[in-house]
């Protein structure tokens, strides 16, 4: 296999795919283990059990650290740097939030709360509370916990449950990764119980406190107190030179009346030098509302926690990804050399350049310097010259012959051809020229240009569309040569019906287009269609729509189209004579609205053309009518004028609907029909005849009414 053929992007994608498959295989056993630990925490912890060793390690480390905290901090009698009074909570500031089983409580990390836990005492709570607040152990506790939670004070309104638990668990164990090993493990409350005064100092302080509906509290009934005197389930019991510590069984926290939360309390029972009894405690629980399977977030399931796991993953993933990439490249290479790949991958034509007849000079040149062309696959149409340029072309041809296989390389090529599109002073040879690109739709991240074709529309408006539209290839891949005639027909059908600038090709050598009714025709008023059988038949049967136009033989059809909007027209002398011959001379007057009467003209191609061929053949009454109210104006022939760009047979009408040009009615330059002409909605015709109209209006012909023309 050729390792150089592996593309970095594909290798990276293979690595990422392997990563998301492999990492869960690392994590799943861990998540199952954590689920077992979650169950063990609530249903039974026993010392020496392998499945619960992580808890045993945690409790043992925490107990040893609690001994140091008590002896080195809480029992220090030095008041230097110690505040004289315990700060009060500031209820005016929006505090952070702690979430417990989706229930939230506001937590004041800048203070502790001192609550009465001896409601049976005969001494007033306020007095006992003040005595406790002056106790140096309580004040040391206040300073320690507020110092540890100081960074949380500023997080107003934020949920700090995880950060709060991480800070205190890290201080208990010295293990900053413990919560990563047990996601969902949380601390609820930290507190110090002063047995002498029967009060408890809780951190963080909460807005609600510990009282609920006047409930009376006796510390002698609390599990953490009874556990310390061997009257409640206790595990991991330790003795530290008279001080004791342990972990209670599960119980419902006193503050969780509405949403019971089963917790365990890690307690440390000690005395000061005066023999006063204290209990330092931490309420802990698992937050089961956050599925342990997804840890702290969904993405954490795809993250490894140890360096050894990462090393193993990389050692497996790198060679596996390389092998997958090589297999992929080989498979794609073989598929591309098969007909099945060509047939399965769609080819789409896209219009990339278009030029229409214009009043300005237009030189058409098409260049593409970023197309991959195999020299053995270039196919061009007769009469089209393709110029290839690129370094090493001869060498490429030689290598192709030696290796007997197709080699590809990006060559620049250019297509230059002159087309006559300028309207005036002579008639242009083309209405429009379009460049279309055939491209295989992206397959496995790569697209391929199959070829380019040029479609040119000639101005000789003939009955047969074959003489009007020509489609030739600039270059075409020989692999697709068998389909090219079919693709030509498909593009021709697409262009003739005036559809959009994209076409998805059908790889069918027997392709035949099924005609459809254009939206423009289907929108015509149905009531008017009932009175025009010919137009209704065209729309219902779609017999004449395959060229994007239909033939009109009855004047009523023209009147219906005229009635759709405003009309600008240049009538030919033969067209006017045809209308008069049919006895429909009133057509010009009845269809000409006051707003567009000045936009209708009869074009002369020789001196006295209108008078000799039209006016003199009218009866006296019609002559008088036309002189009194001219139905159109006459563009008078001038000997010094340049040749007309509009042919003698070529009259046309531009039909605007809501001020948008939608149809053009025109007669053919080789028209031998007795009918009226052709109606088209193709853009190429709309643009061409609109440009002819603008040029003829700007040419400078004298424009006269019938009366001024006859009397001149």
């Amino acid at each position: 296999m050729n390792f150089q053929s592996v593309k970095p992007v594909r290798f990276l994608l293979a690595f990422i795919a392997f990563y998301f498959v492999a990492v869960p295989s690392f994590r799943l056993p861990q998540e199952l283990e954590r689920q077992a630990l979650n169950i063990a925490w609530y249903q039974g912890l026993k010392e020496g059990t392998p499945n619960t060793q992580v808890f045993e390690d945690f409790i043992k480390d925490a107990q040893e650290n609690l001994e140091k905290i008590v002896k080195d901090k809480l029992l220090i009698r030095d008041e230097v740097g110690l505040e004289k009074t315990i700060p009060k909570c500031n209820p005016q500031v929006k505090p952070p939030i702690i979430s417990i089983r989706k229930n939230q409580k506001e937590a004041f990390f800048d203070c502790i709360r001192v609550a009465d836990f001896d409601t049976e005492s005969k001494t007033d709570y306020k007095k006992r509370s003040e005595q406790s607040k002056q106790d140096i152990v309580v004040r040391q506790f206040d300073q320690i916990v507020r110092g540890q939670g100081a960074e949380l004070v500023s997080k107003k309104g934020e949920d700090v449950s995880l950060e709060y638990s991480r800070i205190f668990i890290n201080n208990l164990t010295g293990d900053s990764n413990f919560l990563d090993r047990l996601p969902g493990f949380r601390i609820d409350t930290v507190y110090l119980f002063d047995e002498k005064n029967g009060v408890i100092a809780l951190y963080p302080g909460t807005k609600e406190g510990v009282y609920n509906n006047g409930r009376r509290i006796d510390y002698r009934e609390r599990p953490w107190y009874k556990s310390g005197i061997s009257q409640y389930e206790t595990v991991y019991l330790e003795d530290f030179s008279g001080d004791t510590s342990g972990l209670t069984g599960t119980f419902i926290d006193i503050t969780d009346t509405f949403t019971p939360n089963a917790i365990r309390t890690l307690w440390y029972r000690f005395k000061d030098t005066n023999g006063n009894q204290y209990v330092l405690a931490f309420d802990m629980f698992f937050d089961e509302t956050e599925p342990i399977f997804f840890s702290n977030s969904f993405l954490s399931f795809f993250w490894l926690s140890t360096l050894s796991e990462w090393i193993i993953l990389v050692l497996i993933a790198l060679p596996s990804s390389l092998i997958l990439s090589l297999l992929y490249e080989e498979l794609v290479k073989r598929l591309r050399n098969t007909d099945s790949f060509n047939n399965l991958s769609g080819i789409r034509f896209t219009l990339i350049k278009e030029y229409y007849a214009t009043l300005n000079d237009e030189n058409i040149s098409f260049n593409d310097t970023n197309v991959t062309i195999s020299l053995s696959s270039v196919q061009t149409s007769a009469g089209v010259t393709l110029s290839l340029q690129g370094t090493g072309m001869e060498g490429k041809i030689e290598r192709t012959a030696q290796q007997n296989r197709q080699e590809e390389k990006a060559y620049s090529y250019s297509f230059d051809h002159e087309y006559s599109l300028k309207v005036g002073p002579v008639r242009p040879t083309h209405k429009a020229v379009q460049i279309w690109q055939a491209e295989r739709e992206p397959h496995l991240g790569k697209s391929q240009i199959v070829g380019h074709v040029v479609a040119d529309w000639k101005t000789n408006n003939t009955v047969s569309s074959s003489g009007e539209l020509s489609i030739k290839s600039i270059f075409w891949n020989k692999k697709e040569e068998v389909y090219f005639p079919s693709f030509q027909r498909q593009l021709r059908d697409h262009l003739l019906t005036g559809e959009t600038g994209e076409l998805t090709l059908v790889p069918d050598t027997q392709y035949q287009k099924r005609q459809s009714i254009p939206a423009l025709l289907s929108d015509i008023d149905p009531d008017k269609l009932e009175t025009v059988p010919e137009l209704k038949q065209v729309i219902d049967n779609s017999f004449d729509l395959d060229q994007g136009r239909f033939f009109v033989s009855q004047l009523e059809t023209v009147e219906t189209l005229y009635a759709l909007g405003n009309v600008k027209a240049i009538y030919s002398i033969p067209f006017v004579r045809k209308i008069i011959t049919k006895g429909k001379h009133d057509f010009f007057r009845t269809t000409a609205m006051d707003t567009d009467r000045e936009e209708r003209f009869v074009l002369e191609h020789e001196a006295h053309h209108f008078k000799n061929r039209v006016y003199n053949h009218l009866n006296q009454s019609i002559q008088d009518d036309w002189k009194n109210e001219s139905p159109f104006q006459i563009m008078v022939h001038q000997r010094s004028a340049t040749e007309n760009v509009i042919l003698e047979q070529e009259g046309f009408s531009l039909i605007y609907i809501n001020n948008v040009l939608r149809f053009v009615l025109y007669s053919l330059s080789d028209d031998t029909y007795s009918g009226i002409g052709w109606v088209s909605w193709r853009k190429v015709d709309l643009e061409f005849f609109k440009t002819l109209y603008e040029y003829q209006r700007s040419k400078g012909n004298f424009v006269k009414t019938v009366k001024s023309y006859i009397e001149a």
Side-chain angles (χ1 to χ4, degrees), residues 8-50:
V9 173
R10 292 213 177 105
F11 175 77
L12 178 61
L13 291 175
F15 181 86
I16 293 174
F18 186 87
Y19 173 88
F20 279 99
V21 172
V23 171
S25 67
F26 283 87
R27 295 299 305 273
L28 188 57
Q30 299 173 358
E31 298 301 333
L32 293 176
E33 179 184 358
R34 291 175 187 178
Q35 187 66 33
L37 292 174
N38 187 18
I39 295 172
W41 173 263
Y42 286 111
Q43 296 185 2
L45 289 176
K46 295 182 180 180
E47 296 184 53
T49 303

Side-chain angles (χ1 to χ4, degrees), residues 413-618:
Y413 75 90
S414 63
F415 167 68
D416 293 282
H417 192 83
E418 290 188 5
Y419 292 94
S420 172
L421 288 173
K422 187 176 186 300
V423 178
V426 297
R427 181 182 177 85
T429 60
H430 289 80
K431 297 179 184 178
V433 177
Q434 298 172 327
I435 305 293
W436 289 76
Q437 176 173 285
E439 182 178 13
R440 191 176 301 287
E441 294 179 351
H443 181 75
L444 300 176
K446 182 178 181 180
S447 59
Q448 176 190 0
I449 294 179
V450 176
H452 289 98
V453 300
V454 56
D456 60 82
W457 299 77
K458 297 178 178 60
T459 56
N460 54 332
N461 297 311
T462 61
V463 174
S464 172
S465 63
S466 61
E468 180 184 20
L469 174 61
S470 171
I471 298 176
K472 294 182 178 181
S473 64
I474 300 175
F475 95 83
W476 195 263
N477 194 320
K478 282 187 177 180
K479 287 183 179 180
E480 315 295 341
E481 186 176 4
V482 64
Y483 292 118
F484 184 67
S486 172
F487 292 164
Q488 275 183 307
R489 291 197 302 272
Q490 293 178 51
L491 182 58
R492 175 183 296 278
D493 291 340
H494 185 79
L495 292 175
L496 287 175
T497 53
E499 297 181 23
T500 61
E502 283 194 358
L503 169 64
T504 299
L505 299 169
V506 179
D508 181 4
T509 57
Q510 305 300 319
Y511 167 83
Q512 294 293 330
K513 180 178 175 64
R514 183 177 180 271
Q515 295 186 128
S516 59
I517 301 174
L520 283 175
L521 297 183
S522 62
D523 288 342
I524 296 178
D525 189 344
D527 293 336
K528 295 179 180 178
L529 296 182
E530 295 296 333
T531 62
V532 188
E534 179 190 16
L535 186 55
K536 179 173 173 38
Q537 181 181 9
V538 168
I539 294 173
D540 288 343
N541 299 327
S542 301
F543 291 144
D544 297 313
L545 304 182
D546 60 336
Q547 296 183 24
R549 60 185 184 178
F550 60 87
F551 186 70
V552 176
S553 61
Q554 298 184 24
L555 201 57
E556 289 82 0
T557 305
V558 181
E559 292 173 342
T560 299
L561 292 171
Y562 272 25
L564 295 176
N566 299 322
V567 178
K568 297 180 180 181
I570 295 181
Y571 300 124
S572 67
I573 296 294
F575 176 79
V576 178
R577 283 179 53 82
K578 187 178 295 185
I579 299 302
I580 294 173
T581 302
K582 291 178 177 288
K584 301 290 186 178
H585 57 273
D586 284 342
F587 162 81
F588 297 105
R589 178 181 295 172
T590 58
T591 61
M593 306 295 291
D594 292 339
T595 55
D596 59 6
R597 190 183 304 275
E598 295 182 357
E599 297 288 347
R600 302 192 189 186
F601 306 91
V602 174
L603 178 63
E604 285 193 321
H605 279 75
E606 58 186 58
H608 311 298
H609 200 188
F610 174 75
K611 182 177 180 180
N612 295 335
R613 300 292 303 276
V614 177
Y615 186 81
N616 290 342
H617 295 273
L618 300 173

